[in-house]
Amino acid sequence: MTERAYIGMGSNLADPAAQLRNALEAMTRLPGTRLAGVSSFYVSDSLLPGQPRYTNAVAALDTDLAPLQLLDALQAIELDQGRERLERWGPRTLDLDILLFGEQLIDVPRLQVPHYHMQARAFVLYPLAELDADLQLPDGRRLDQMLAACPFEGLERLPALQ
Ligand code: ROI
């Protein structure tokens, strides 16, 4: 069965926008998967002080992969782009998070969907809303209500690529 998954993307090292573009290219090559949409790129300060600024975006994938297969594939792309897990929450060349996977609620040690922190993160919610402003989460929360509680403040939307 094909499911619509939303992927949160982030980078704050080694030309972040290029990291995101490479990751999008890599996601188009995933088996049984179609890249259905990409948000604008947004730049914001790190939630942790002392790190370089992040570039973030959200991608929509239509995929026949199972959730953990998709997670494996995304982690392989992270590793391929030089991600080293040196410290939790540390700066990273590429972070790919499954935010939503169809209507599924997933809670296993490797994967929690909807993604835990998405409701508080403007750099996730605003790009997600570009792709589907009417989105309702499988736990009943509505994206427009989450946005109303999460100021745009501090986000800088980059102009679209030509
Ligand atoms: N801050 C921003 N702006 N974007 C991120 O993707 C991001 N990721 C993180 C922490 C360090 C929490 N801060 C972030 O993991």
Side-chain angles (χ1 to χ4, degrees), residues 107-126:
D107 189 3
V108 295
R110 284 188 67 203
L111 183 62
Q112 293 82 43
V113 176
H115 192 271
Y116 270 145
H117 301 294
M118 62 184 282
Q119 80 281 351
R121 295 189 166 174
F123 60 80
V124 173
L125 296 181
Y126 286 88

Side-chain angles (χ1 to χ4, degrees), residues 133-154:
D134 300 324
L135 203 64
Q136 175 143 12
L137 276 58
D139 55 19
R141 290 178 295 167
R142 281 176 32 192
L143 182 58
D144 58 355
Q145 291 174 345
M146 297 164 86
L147 283 165
C150 188
F152 184 81
E153 209 172 292

Side-chain angles (χ1 to χ4, degrees), residues 7-10 23 27 71 74 77-78 83 94-98:
I7 311 303
M9 312 174 68
M27 288 195 287
L71 181 65
L74 296 177
I77 295 172
E78 288 178 343
R83 167 126 183 215
L94 182 62
D95 193 20
L96 298 175
D97 291 330
I98 301 175

Side-chain angles (χ1 to χ4, degrees), residues 47-159:
L47 297 178
L48 295 181
Q51 288 190 11
R53 279 158 70 80
Y54 276 84
T55 302
N56 291 99
V58 172
L61 299 180
D62 288 333
T63 187
D64 298 329
L65 296 176
L68 291 178
Q69 287 178 317
L70 180 61
L71 181 65
D72 285 340
L74 296 177
Q75 289 184 345
I77 295 172
E78 288 178 343
L79 286 177
D80 202 46
Q81 290 188 213
R83 167 126 183 215
E84 297 177 43
R85 289 180 181 269
L86 299 175
E87 47 172 318
R88 195 163 188 194
W89 311 121
R92 68 282 308 270
T93 49
L94 182 62
D95 193 20
L96 298 175
D97 291 330
I98 301 175
L99 304 172
L100 296 169
F101 195 95
E103 293 289 306
Q104 297 193 30
L105 292 166
I106 303 169
D107 189 3
V108 295
R110 284 188 67 203
L111 183 62
Q112 293 82 43
V113 176
H115 192 271
Y116 270 145
H117 301 294
M118 62 184 282
Q119 80 281 351
R121 295 189 166 174
F123 60 80
V124 173
L125 296 181
Y126 286 88
L128 183 58
E130 282 186 27
L131 299 175
D132 183 358
D134 300 324
L135 203 64
Q136 175 143 12
L137 276 58
D139 55 19
R141 290 178 295 167
R142 281 176 32 192
L143 182 58
D144 58 355
Q145 291 174 345
M146 297 164 86
L147 283 165
C150 188
F152 184 81
E153 209 172 292
L155 273 190
E156 181 192 338
R157 184 156 72 89
L158 297 180

